[in-house]
Amino acid sequence: MAGCCTKPSDQRTFKMASETIASASKQRGFLATPSYLRLWFAGGIGNAMRWLELLVAGIFTYEVTQSTVLVALVIVARSLPMLLIGTIAGVVGEALNRKRLLVTELFVLAVSSAVLCVLAFSGQIRVWHVALGGLVAGIVWAMELAVRRRMIGEVVAFDQIGPAVAFDSLTNSIARVLGPLAGGAVFETLGLGGAYFLSAALYLVGGFVVRGLDFRQVSRKLRFGRIAIDIVEGLAVARANRAILAVILVSIIMNMFAFSYSALIAPIGLDVYGVSPILVGALAAAEPLGAIAAGIALSAGWLRLNGSRALVRGSLLFLIGLMAMAMSPFYSLAFVLLLIGGLGTAAFSNMQTTLILTEAPLVTRSRVLGIVTMCIGTGPLGVLAIGVLSEQLGPSLAILIMAGLGVSGLGLV
């Protein structure tokens, strides 16, 4: 008979467990939204191929030219459009049908990769072809935040934006692992043409998936005479909100002084550590592997971030890890240090989007995301700087100097 009744403490424990399960289920409710899943799939495919192409372009350019400056220039060709047209992309994404824009973007990427594939298999491809393909891809990627990421905030409930963005960021981190690994393996077995064939096919699949997206949007006519005014209005929103302003400043610092290290992954792997292209791909995947570990906790609701403070602290962790990696004499230690730094990039990338989607007014959201895109586009300046430093001082010292400047910049923020 002693077991026929439930003690009050047991009832409270059961209630707390039920609430925890219900809360966790609610946090993952966005996974039951078909529109979100289509956007998520397209983003995962697009980001994986983006990093695959960056790696194989870097390896091909370095093998042909043995110049870290030219490797940096090829990377810059892919990133520069974000700086030059990022704010305009925000205005376009605010006015025109975002679904149609996204489908068009994916098909353009498929065609560009297919052309490079044909050139590579025919033996006619040159470094300038790869750079031009990167420029086309860069124009498309300038629309990513203002179009696809903006749509994520529109297809899920407001209280699910944070977990939905975290899961998308987690997937992007996984793509940053799989992309370079696949790129290194495909480049070593099938060559540059095989890598571009894979990206063309997957971009095409992503485009067809997005075509079936159920998305409603009130579009308006794009008035070219108002583009400058629209941009200024977005800047005013960013300046008036401290959280958004923090996103802008930290985005500039991270893209100029932190993420520019990726331009030297091929030289540092091939020359400093003397490893194969597959292990170069693994080194490129180390930081996103760390981001995956943190991203799982964020998307599941096990870990919560405290806004702009998490943005700054996560950025600082990555920069410190990058400085330590630059001083490592061993490949395995460098891999582990980048892995630890990746925990910080998860916080940075998650809050970079979440703060905009939750803080910016709906009518200016794409424009503010366009401004953030422009800040991300400052990365080429860092890539050029780190390429010149590497040419003079070597890749390890170049990374150390740039990361140290990034830490100083965060101190000012």
Side-chain angles (χ1 to χ4, degrees), residues 217-303:
Q217 173 194 340
V218 178
S219 303
R220 59 180 173 83
K221 185 178 180 180
L222 180 63
R223 292 180 290 177
F224 292 97
R226 272 194 56 87
I227 288 179
I229 297 173
D230 287 339
I231 293 173
V232 170
E233 288 177 355
L235 288 169
V237 170
R239 184 179 179 183
N241 187 297
R242 292 182 65 185
I244 295 176
L245 186 59
V247 170
I248 288 173
L249 296 175
V250 176
S251 294
I252 292 173
I253 291 168
M254 289 293 284
N255 284 277
M256 282 192 65
F257 300 108
F259 296 133
S260 56
Y261 90 97
S262 62
L264 298 183
I265 282 293
I268 204 169
L270 296 172
D271 283 353
V272 176
Y273 298 122
V275 297
S276 68
I278 290 179
L279 289 181
V280 172
L283 188 64
E287 175 258 311
L289 275 173
I292 289 170
I296 290 172
L298 289 169
S299 59
W302 302 333
L303 177 65

Side-chain angles (χ1 to χ4, degrees), residues 345-360:
T345 61
F348 164 76
S349 62
N350 184 52
M351 297 315 302
Q352 183 186 48
T353 301
T354 300
L355 285 170
I356 303 301
L357 293 180
T358 55
E359 296 282 343

